[in-house]
Amino acid sequence: MLDLVWLIPALPLAGFLAILVFGRRLGDPKAGWFATLMAAASFVATLGVFLDLLSKGEEERHHVVTLFSWVPVAGKSIDMAFLADPLSITMALFVTGIGSLIHLYAIGYMHGDPRFSKFFLYLNLFVFSMLMLVLGSNLLVTFLGWEGVGTCSYLLISFWHERDSAATAGKKAFVTNRVGDWGFMMAMFFAFWQVGSLDYSALGGLTGTTATAVALFAFIGACGKSAQLPLYLWLPDAMEGPTPVSALIHAATMVTAGVFLMVRLNPVLHAADSYAGTIIAIVGVATALFAATVAVAQNDIKKVLAYSTVSQLGYMFLAVGSGAYVAAIFHMVTHAFFKALLFLGSGSVIHGMHHEQDMRKMGALRVLMPITAGTFIVGWLAIAGVPPFAGFWSKDEILLFAYDKSPVLYALGLAAAVLTAYYMTRQVIMVFFGQAKWKDAHEEHGAHGDFEPHESPKVMLIPLVVLAGLSIVGGGLQLPFNESVKKLEHWLEPVVAPGEHHLSTGADDIKYVLMGVAILAAVAGIVGAYLVYAKHKAKPIEPTILAEGWYYDKAVSDFMGGPGRAAFEGVAWADATIVDGAVNGAGALVQAAAGEARKVQSGNVRNYAAVIGIGVTLLLGWFVIVRGLL
């Protein structure tokens, strides 16, 4: 079965090609069902590879399938090859599994859209690209998938491109990610220069300085793809795409790619100077706290979740920087469960509210949308860090390792956890509890007095129920009580063993105390939001500076539209006037000189004979004069 690992990406690729040719003929909903079938078949193939890998010993859980020699370079070759190991198959499982559920949900959500088939064409291509990324056995194959998900994000975020905001958001995502791609390419160049290979198995040979350069350049790429400071600003605007796109980007694809890359490069991080990990941890916790402060003042139901994703990704990079690679993957998996649930739940709300996204115009929806409300509440408890839901276990493990690295990192991570519980409770209260404010805004929905929110169709609710179940039990993958229940750690050990940090005795001794503190932090955030938004004991603190994301996005936009644009225009003028002028001037000078010289090449034999005669005369005169002088 391991030799069939190529089948995992091949199935969604086949779906893409089939819909490309027959999509219009299939139409709505057949194109959606076909795309979903291809994603689900890929999940089944992944499950088969996983079971085969599980049946082998730890030392045998590494299998490379080479399709062909791709790029021959200086007597070496970079292969188009797939790697089946615990990390790649873990990623492929939730990419295909969550991706299949999102495809299923989208059949109902996108029903009636005039470009229904094209949407599923892009979805299948997105899943294929992400699978290439995680299954690649070398950096170049990973980069192929890396660019593929970037292109698909542009196509899907700007899917409703007739809206200026969607078109702009797509371009913003594409351009911002190109900045990160520069870092990825620099990491590849340094790696190939040092070891003459891009295979992950060869990167363990990198030495200190080069390893540090590769690690930090790769981290720049990860910041772009996984929306970390300062390159996070594309992700909140990505909400302009259809909600299934938001779920796919935030939960199962793209934004997890940066975390995956850094975990895959854990031997390089281990060989790098220690400050590389510290930089990653600082950026991660700063991003987590920054995005959490912004989320508390958002009123768009999807933007709250968008900033939440930025914050949760910050936790994952905090784990990577702390050497807790298992914890990073653990939180990535649980986050895929509850964030997909929350985004699809928000899409169900938007669908039931006739495409309204402002939470200030919602309220009391739990009565009219009971399944959506119940599953969304499960996702809320999971992300808020309430035991025994999945998010509690993964976030608590990250905070434990952060404490072992630095109490300051731990304190900042804990503050972000309090804010997470606060803004998610705020969202649940504004949407599902309190007053039914949609009654006062019914005319804005185009219903002319008879508007009433409604529950979504079953094809949208089934994925919510499945994801809610996973959000409840997902923490069982990695429990902290003893070695026998750390299943994910044992599974990933062959991949992360070179760089995985082992807790100091002091941190291990107080892990249950820190667990209690994490529970209190979640309770504090929930109670605080309840008192403010449900009981109205205090006025909400939602300053404009937070609603505007600390004005960072605006500052970047103002700079790019002002001094930045002027600077680029100046560079373009210098290139056109000075550089091109010098090149074109030299060409014009040569052309003019050649034109003058061409005049003597008349083709007239008598002229040539006369010139020869004159030349001979001059030569004779020269010799006579010189001889006379001598």
Side-chain angles (χ1 to χ4, degrees), residues 527-562:
V527 171
Y530 174 76
L531 293 176
V532 172
Y533 292 97
K535 292 298 184 180
H536 307 289
K537 297 294 185 181
K539 186 177 181 180
I541 301 175
E542 300 174 2
T544 304
I545 190 173
L546 297 185
E548 294 294 330
W550 295 92
Y551 293 109
Y552 175 72
D553 195 348
K554 184 178 184 301
V556 172
S557 297
D558 289 346
F559 173 80
M560 297 306 295

Side-chain angles (χ1 to χ4, degrees), residues 168-169 172 176 229-238 290 294 298 303 307 545-561:
T168 301
K172 190 174 185 178
T176 306
L229 287 170
L231 300 178
Y232 82 91
L233 43 76
W234 67 271
L235 192 56
D237 286 359
F290 171 86
V294 177
Q298 301 302 308
K303 278 209 169 182
Y307 280 105
I545 190 173
L546 297 185
E548 294 294 330
W550 295 92
Y551 293 109
Y552 175 72
D553 195 348
K554 184 178 184 301
V556 172
S557 297
D558 289 346
F559 173 80
M560 297 306 295

Side-chain angles (χ1 to χ4, degrees), residues 10-20 34-35 38 120-121 124:
L11 287 165
L13 177 61
F16 163 76
L17 295 174
I19 297 174
L20 182 65
F34 179 75
M38 290 295 99
F120 283 92
L121 173 85
N124 263 192

Side-chain angles (χ1 to χ4, degrees), residues 321-548:
S322 302
Y325 303 110
V326 174
I329 297 299
F330 184 27
H331 197 55
M332 185 193 297
V333 173
T334 61
H335 178 263
F337 296 156
F338 60 70
K339 186 54 60 70
L341 170 60
L342 291 168
F343 264 112
L344 297 185
S346 72
S348 181
V349 170
I350 294 168
H351 183 271
M353 286 286 295
H354 290 210
H355 301 287
E356 179 59 70
Q357 296 186 200
D358 192 335
M359 298 188 298
R360 293 170 296 185
K361 299 175 183 179
M362 300 180 185
L365 293 180
R366 71 188 186 282
V367 177
L368 298 174
M369 306 179 71
I371 298 177
T372 297
T375 54
F376 197 97
I377 287 171
V378 170
W380 157 56
L381 294 172
I383 194 174
V386 175
F389 297 90
F392 166 76
W393 303 105
S394 54
K395 189 183 296 184
D396 182 69
E397 186 163 348
I398 292 173
L399 291 174
L400 176 60
F401 277 88
Y403 177 85
D404 201 32
K405 185 174 181 66
S406 167
V408 175
L409 293 175
Y410 168 78
L412 295 175
L414 191 66
V418 174
L419 290 175
T420 301
Y422 178 87
Y423 67 68
M424 288 304 304
T425 305
R426 168 182 178 266
Q427 183 178 51
V428 168
I429 292 172
M430 291 179 70
V431 174
F432 297 107
F433 295 88
Q435 296 179 350
K437 296 180 180 179
W438 50 267
K439 293 181 178 179
D440 301 326
H442 60 276
E443 292 185 0
E444 298 179 22
H445 300 279
H448 305 293
D450 60 352
F451 170 79
E452 185 172 282
H454 58 83
E455 187 62 279
S456 298
K458 289 182 180 180
V459 73
M460 294 172 63
L461 295 178
I462 291 173
L464 296 182
V465 173
V466 173
L467 290 167
L470 292 172
S471 298
I472 295 171
V473 304
L477 291 172
Q478 177 80 2
L479 296 173
F481 305 119
N482 55 60
E483 291 299 318
S484 64
V485 292
K486 295 182 178 180
K487 301 185 183 300
L488 187 62
E489 180 177 322
H490 297 317
W491 168 246
L492 293 176
E493 187 174 2
V495 181
V496 302
E500 181 75 8
H501 174 73
H502 298 285
L503 289 172
S504 66
T505 304
D508 194 52
D509 287 344
I510 64 168
K511 65 181 180 182
Y512 293 114
V513 175
L514 297 180
M515 186 183 296
V517 173
I519 294 173
L520 291 176
V523 171
I526 291 171
V527 171
Y530 174 76
L531 293 176
V532 172
Y533 292 97
K535 292 298 184 180
H536 307 289
K537 297 294 185 181
K539 186 177 181 180
I541 301 175
E542 300 174 2
T544 304
I545 190 173
L546 297 185
E548 294 294 330

Side-chain angles (χ1 to χ4, degrees), residues 51-72:
L51 294 174
D52 194 3
L53 209 61
L54 190 64
S55 67
K56 299 183 180 298
E58 288 187 5
E59 67 283 352
E60 297 176 327
R61 292 175 182 170
H62 181 100
H63 187 75
V64 176
V65 175
T66 302
L67 300 185
F68 53 86
S69 179
W70 185 13
V71 182

